[in-house]
Amino acid sequence: KRQRLYFAATTEKPQTLWGSRSADFYQFTMPAEADPYKPDDPVEYTIAAFTHEAIEWMASERVLIIGTSATEHRLAPDQYVASDRLPTISRMSAYGGVHGIPAYMGNMTVFIQNSRNQVRTYHQSGESVIEKWDSTELDFVARHLTESKVKQLGYALNPYSILYMITLDGDFLTMTFEPAISKQGEVGWGKHITDGKFMSVTSIPEDDRDQIWAVVERTIDDVDNPGEQITYQYVEFFDHTTFTDSALTYPEVETDPPVQVVGNLEHHEGRTVTIRADDTVHPDRVVQNGQITLNGEYAKVEAGLKYTPRLKLMRYETQIQQMQTVQGQKGRWSEIWLRIVESAKPLVNGKRAAERTPATPMGQAEPLITGDVSAVNFGWDSEKQIVIEQDLPLPLHVTAIFGDLTVN
């Protein structure tokens, strides 16, 4: 509001912050004590607290949000006094945060709690006549994922509104959440696994989507010293048109001719890569001397590490006679239907419908499906869970899941 640049937390004054002169980001000289205060003068605040709690992060919203190692505060003008007075600091909550840049999701600011195994946000309470703030733990349904402790946050708005996180163990976590339309608790969590460790991540806005870039640490065979391995850090980005990890794609330009030998794979030396060639699944190959040899010439090739996207639903629950629960009771899915868009048929509880249809000529790739596909004849168990996996280097986009369930 006052167009100031703020700095905070020096070694000698960890609970102090300094604001520049209004609209002059390089002027921090405080006026002499004898001079009258002007509303645009530089400012200095020290947070009064019962404990030693250094300022760890700040976020610019309608007001300035200040996060310490133990509490969260807001710096804002007092709404009950004249606007030319100095803004005041007031405490919002007492969860504490770590040193790091918060993430902005719509009108929300997300920060890492001091223990690093919680990701929290805050919002003004609508149930109080006085100003009151509530804090929400966003990972309350996925605490098993954040046990490895979050060290970095980021956000990609387009196209799916995804909060992404890096943990101290090198895991890459994502949370799908749209603050404008979601109710409290409507979040979807995922864990992304690679042959290596994620070190850092960020997003860069593109024309139609936010592209996520990551620094990944990988260990490969050392070509110069057979039997030895060497560790590198690579800069990689997520591409929604590729379906293998750390992939190389050919051609680089559309005029390149079909190839049988694909090179430039030194970053996968000694490892087995999964291959998609002319939109068909090609047998795996082991990278030797930075290249692989295919079983024929192909115009389009994608070669990378295999990964299997996996979606596991919660245990099914419904009300039956006399308000009993189906939890713990034996059940059997006789048929499960998936509504998919531009996708290849996935595994459903380990089973897949016939991959090819008589209408597709031999030697041609099976076209992707937009519609409903089903799998049948599942056994009895007390879990009654549905697990969907795509073990092929082909796309999968599920929009609905339904079926017939029999409960004993």
Side-chain angles (χ1 to χ4, degrees):
K1 181 179 179 180
R2 293 179 181 267
Q3 301 183 37
R4 300 184 191 272
L5 174 64
Y6 280 92
F7 292 93
T10 64
T11 303
E12 294 183 355
K13 296 183 177 182
Q15 294 177 224
T16 300
L17 65 153
W18 298 264
S20 70
R21 182 184 299 278
S22 293
D24 187 355
F25 297 157
Y26 298 98
Q27 179 54 261
F28 286 85
T29 303
M30 297 292 295
E33 294 184 5
D35 295 339
Y37 169 77
K38 302 182 184 64
D40 64 343
D41 279 344
V43 293
E44 177 180 330
Y45 296 91
T46 298
I47 297 176
F50 295 105
T51 61
H52 174 81
E53 46 186 78
I55 297 173
E56 302 290 355
W57 59 271
M58 294 189 293
S60 177
E61 298 185 1
R62 187 175 62 88
V63 297
L64 181 67
I65 306 299
I66 307 160
T68 76
S69 57
T71 53
E72 293 75 51
H73 304 260
R74 61 192 297 269
L75 173 63
D78 192 325
Q79 58 182 321
Y80 302 109
V81 299
S83 60
D84 60 347
R85 299 281 188 89
L86 270 173
T88 58
I89 294 179
S90 57
R91 194 184 73 180
M92 300 163 47
S93 55
Y95 292 94
V98 301
H99 186 74
I101 301 174
Y104 299 98
M105 296 183 65
N107 60 354
M108 296 168 47
T109 298
V110 183
F111 65 96
I112 305 168
Q113 197 268 339
N114 201 26
S115 65
R116 291 190 180 272
N117 57 14
Q118 289 184 17
V119 179
R120 307 193 69 95
T121 185
Y122 47 82
H123 55 89
Q124 192 165 359
S125 174
E127 301 178 358
S128 176
V129 295
I130 62 173
E131 185 178 280
K132 183 181 178 182
W133 295 79
D134 295 329
S135 181
T136 302
E137 181 185 354
L138 296 175
D139 61 295
F140 71 100
V141 296
R143 290 175 179 167
H144 60 292
L145 297 181
T146 57
E147 285 180 352
S148 53
K149 299 188 179 298
V150 179
K151 72 174 184 178
Q152 184 186 6
L153 292 175
Y155 178 61
L157 172 62
N158 289 319
Y160 301 118
S161 184
I162 295 176
L163 178 75
Y164 51 83
M165 289 145 275
I166 299 294
T167 70
L168 295 178
D169 290 347
D171 294 333
F172 179 48
L173 310 179
T174 56
M175 186 195 78
T176 305
F177 180 60
E178 175 47 64
I181 63 175
S182 297
K183 298 179 181 178
Q184 183 176 351
E186 291 182 349
V187 296
W189 280 82
K191 179 178 180 178
H192 302 260
I193 301 172
T194 189
D195 186 5
K197 293 182 178 181
F198 289 96
M199 308 303 293
S200 182
V201 66
T202 191
S203 62
I204 301 174
E206 296 289 340
D207 292 338
D208 61 341
R209 63 180 56 233
D210 293 339
Q211 192 174 70
I212 299 177
W213 289 73
V215 176
V216 186
E217 185 177 273
R218 303 186 185 279
T219 301
I220 63 173
D221 289 349
D222 189 349
V223 178
D224 298 327
N225 299 286
E228 300 292 331
Q229 292 189 318
I230 189 169
T231 298
Y232 289 103
Q233 289 189 352
Y234 299 96
V235 178
E236 305 176 1
F237 67 92
F238 288 78
D239 184 352
H240 67 285
T241 64
T242 60
F243 307 100
T244 56
D245 196 8
S246 190
L248 177 141
T249 57
Y250 179 90
E252 294 184 4
V253 294
E254 294 184 359
T255 56
D256 288 342
V259 295
Q260 184 171 6
V261 177
V262 179
N264 296 326
L265 287 167
E266 291 82 3
H267 61 297
H268 290 319
E269 185 65 33
R271 290 196 265 182
T272 299
V273 293
T274 295
I275 304 164
R276 184 164 63 113
D278 289 348
D279 296 323
T280 63
V281 180
H282 186 283
D284 293 349
R285 292 287 189 266
V286 176
V287 178
Q288 295 180 339
N289 297 319
Q291 63 184 27
I292 55 174
T293 301
L294 308 178
N295 57 14
E297 291 188 341
Y298 295 90
K300 294 190 302 180
V301 180
E302 173 193 335
L305 302 175
K306 179 182 178 66
Y307 72 88
T308 302
R310 185 171 185 263
L311 172 64
K312 185 176 183 180
L313 304 189
M314 302 288 285
R315 293 178 177 86
Y316 184 79
E317 173 64 310
T318 188
Q319 293 181 350
I320 56 177
Q321 296 179 358
Q322 299 177 355
M323 301 298 289
Q324 295 177 356
T325 179
V326 299
Q327 297 298 309
Q329 300 189 36
K330 291 286 187 180
R332 173 180 178 269
W333 289 97
S334 57
E335 189 169 20
I336 298 174
W337 289 84
L338 304 182
R339 185 159 295 157
I340 58 179
V341 177
E342 289 294 311
S343 302
K345 295 177 181 178
L347 295 171
V348 181
N349 285 8
K351 295 187 177 182
R352 191 196 329 264
E355 296 181 41
R356 296 191 65 84
T357 60
T360 304
M362 294 298 294
Q364 292 187 14
E366 186 74 17
L368 299 178
I369 299 171
T370 296
D372 297 343
V373 298
S374 68
V376 298
N377 297 326
F378 299 97
W380 291 81
D381 62 51
S382 59
E383 302 294 332
K384 301 176 291 296
Q385 287 184 283
I386 297 176
V387 179
I388 302 166
E389 298 174 301
Q390 180 56 284
D391 61 334
L392 304 175
L394 297 172
L396 175 63
H397 185 185
V398 180
T399 61
I401 304 169
F402 49 96
D404 296 325
L405 174 66
T406 301
V407 178
N408 186 5

